[in-house]
């Protein structure tokens, strides 16, 4: 994929997004407010507007037992699972298979009254990163989704308003080996998940509507998605 026209943008965006995701909430600059909490899951947002449009950055951190970062990223990246966990998805098309770790998607999401329906075109890239903090620690896996143009799907031509997004899912696997030297099982693994997203809703939508949508949909999405991965992997060999 390194000769593809998008490759320079992909390289730059992945490095930038991973660096941001790895920073703790405190380091990320002030203004983060905790807006949802459920067990290990904590969701923060910063209230930001561009030309009067809500583009609140979101950062969620979660720890899930029994699954690995590779399994989480694999189920987030691969198109064949998406209708199972992405509840607001109406239509998903893979426009281009750039390489086995990079896909180009067109998605339309269900209309959310009173706003008009949205669609999005984005490249999606999955990558294993060396764990440079803890040399012999398990690898870090990430998926970065970033809006892009596409000649066959110009923005705002049909009924949908085109949205623009940058999303980073960063996963760190933790292994607590069993004391008695028995083989590793799912009880000995957990995954620390950091999900960052910035969504520009494209055309105008009432700030109150957008903030209500995000407050409802993001916690639902992360809980449903992680439960889905747990369910899909529970009787399968661990994917490191
Ligand atoms: C009036 C509503 C306007 C915004 C609607 C909107 C915007 C963005 C998105 C969205 C959010 C996450 C991604 S992803 O992380 O790349 C995963 C692949 O699907 C892609 C798209 C969705 C939705 C629809 C509502 C909504 C808001 C959050 C979470 C879920 N649904």
């Amino acid at each position: 994929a390194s000769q593809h026209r998008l490759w320079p943008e992909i390289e730059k965006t992945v490095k930038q997004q991973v660096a941001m995701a790895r920073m703790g909430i405190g380091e990320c600059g002030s203004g983060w407010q905790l807006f949802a909490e459920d067990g290990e899951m904590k969701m923060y947002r910063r209230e930001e507007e561009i030309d009067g449009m809500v583009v609140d950055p979101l950062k969620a951190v979660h720890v899930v037992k029994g699954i690995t970062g590779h399994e989480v990223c694999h189920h987030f990246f691969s198109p064949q699972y998406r209708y199972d966990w992405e509840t607001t998805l109406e239509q998903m098309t893979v426009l281009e298979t750039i390489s086995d770790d990079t896909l180009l998607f067109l998605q339309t999401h269900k209309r959310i009254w009173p706003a008009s329906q949205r669609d999005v075109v984005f490249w999606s890239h999955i990558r294993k990163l060396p764990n440079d903090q803890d040399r012999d620690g398990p690898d870090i896996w990430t998926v970065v989704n970033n809006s892009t143009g596409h000649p066959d799907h110009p923005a705002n031509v049909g009924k949908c308003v085109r949205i623009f997004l940058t999303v980073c899912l960063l996963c760190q696997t933790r292994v607590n080996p069993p004391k008695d030297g028995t083989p590793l099982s799912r009880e000995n693994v957990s995954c620390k998940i950091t999900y960052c997203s910035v969504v520009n809703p494209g055309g105008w939508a009432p700030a109150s509507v957008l903030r209500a949508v995000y407050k409802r949909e993001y916690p639902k999405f992360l809980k449903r998605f992680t439960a889905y991965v747990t369910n899909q992997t529970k009787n399968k060999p661990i994917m490191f």
Side-chain angles (χ1 to χ4, degrees):
S2 52
Q3 73 290 345
H4 191 274
R5 67 179 174 78
L6 281 172
W7 189 249
E9 175 186 319
I10 291 169
E11 256 327 273
K12 181 172 69 69
T13 310
V14 169
K15 284 187 175 23
Q16 197 181 52
Q17 287 300 311
V18 167
M20 293 259 287
R22 286 172 120 161
M23 286 196 291
I25 281 293
E27 306 161 81
C28 266
S30 58
W32 288 100
Q33 50 176 270
L34 181 66
F35 77 89
E37 198 167 355
D38 183 322
E40 292 292 320
M41 185 182 77
K42 291 181 174 56
M43 282 210 160
Y44 303 85
R45 71 164 175 215
R46 264 211 319 265
E47 299 211 351
E48 280 180 19
E49 299 191 9
I50 296 178
D51 308 332
M53 277 194 308
V54 164
V55 292
D56 299 355
L58 178 124
K59 185 163 187 158
V61 288
H62 196 4
V63 178
V64 183
K65 291 186 176 29
I67 53 179
T68 66
H70 188 182
E71 290 168 338
V72 172
C73 286
H74 170 71
H75 287 86
F76 186 75
F77 173 75
S78 309
Q80 67 262 30
Y81 309 110
R82 197 158 298 172
Y83 286 110
D84 296 345
W85 55 263
E86 180 66 290
T87 49
T88 63
L89 191 60
E90 183 173 273
Q91 177 75 29
M92 171 193 69
T93 311
V94 177
L95 297 175
E96 199 180 329
T97 299
I98 295 170
S99 65
D100 59 4
D101 61 8
T102 310
L103 300 173
L104 196 63
F105 288 98
L106 164 65
Q107 292 189 172
T108 56
H109 286 258
K110 292 171 185 144
R111 181 165 181 262
I112 294 174
W113 186 87
S116 34
Q117 188 169 24
R118 258 66 183 176
D119 68 5
V120 58
V121 173
F122 61 93
W123 53 258
S124 183
H125 177 73
I126 185 169
R127 184 180 298 187
K128 181 166 77 171
L129 300 159
N131 186 337
D132 53 15
Q133 253 119 9
D134 167 5
R135 197 136 321 277
D136 53 3
D139 296 309
I140 293 169
W141 281 85
T142 189
V143 176
V144 176
N145 295 344
N146 192 47
S147 303
T148 186
H150 192 281
D152 308 347
H153 298 275
N156 306 318
V157 168
K159 62 184 185 326
C160 288
V161 170
R162 180 63 50 88
I163 66 169
F164 303 90
L165 56 78
T166 303
V167 164
C168 178
L169 179 72
L170 186 83
C171 297
Q172 260 172 295
T173 305
R174 287 183 187 146
V175 179
N176 305 305
K179 305 285 169 289
D180 49 7
T182 52
L184 221 49
S185 76
R186 288 195 178 276
E187 279 87 59
N188 311 120
V189 298
S190 66
C191 180
K192 181 176 181 251
I193 298 170
T194 304
Y195 175 87
C196 301
S197 86
V198 179
V199 174
N200 181 323
W204 188 80
S208 56
V209 168
L210 276 168
R211 288 194 169 118
V213 166
Y214 296 156
K215 193 170 169 72
R216 183 185 70 233
E217 294 297 337
Y218 274 117
K220 192 166 88 179
F221 143 70
L222 197 54
K223 279 176 66 179
R224 179 183 171 91
F225 171 65
T226 50
Y228 176 75
V229 177
T230 300
N231 209 23
Q232 285 290 102
T233 55
K234 65 177 179 245
N235 302 319
K236 294 194 181 94
I238 304 173
M239 217 165 119
F240 282 105

